[in-house]
Amino acid sequence: MPIGFIKNSPKIAEPISLEGVVCAAMQGVNMTSNVTEANDAVWSSPVRVRVGYGFPETIRGPKEALEYLNWRWPVREGTYYIKALKECAACLQRKLPLENVRETFVLASIEAKMLN
């Protein structure tokens, strides 16, 4: 478990493992199928966020968004933060449309005051 995470805390979300998402998506799937396309999926328009006082950074799709939410997000609580975590993971499993997940990620960025 990463440093700084408190297990069973009601306010802190556990990170969602990207490896677990990929493994779940690949169960029973031919290795030459379109699974890699789901992992490389990009939004129609990237989302630009600013982490702390740093330069704006570009998030192009749900895979990058999930990595930011898990490892670079400054606030580990909030309605849209939790929703974005779940939706990015579901999108990588092809359970949700890309653009719906992008909208939720934008709302999470606004909630965390990170939207550039």
Side-chain angles (χ1 to χ4, degrees), residues 2-21:
I3 296 173
F5 284 81
I6 301 172
K7 191 171 183 175
N8 299 326
S9 173
K11 290 187 175 184
I12 298 176
E14 290 288 327
I16 296 175
S17 168
L18 189 56
E19 291 82 14
V21 170

Side-chain angles (χ1 to χ4, degrees), residues 79-100:
T79 304
Y80 292 110
Y81 169 75
I82 302 297
K83 188 174 179 183
L85 275 173
K86 292 176 183 177
E87 287 188 9
C88 285
C91 185
L92 291 174
Q93 294 176 341
R94 296 179 173 225
K95 293 181 180 178
L96 288 175
L98 272 171
E99 295 308 312
N100 292 8

Side-chain angles (χ1 to χ4, degrees), residues 31-71:
M31 293 301 285
T32 60
S33 71
N34 294 332
V35 172
T36 55
E37 289 178 19
N39 291 335
D40 296 334
V42 294
W43 294 320
S44 60
S45 176
V47 178
R48 294 187 45 95
V49 298
R50 184 183 306 264
V51 180
Y53 294 109
F55 291 104
E57 299 176 38
T58 303
I59 312 300
R60 292 175 183 80
K63 181 179 178 183
E64 288 181 15
L66 188 57
E67 289 176 5
Y68 267 77
L69 290 164
N70 275 327
W71 308 114

Side-chain angles (χ1 to χ4, degrees), residues 105-116:
F105 183 73
V106 168
L107 291 171
S109 300
I110 292 169
E111 181 178 67
K113 298 177 175 69
M114 292 178 60
L115 193 64
N116 190 31

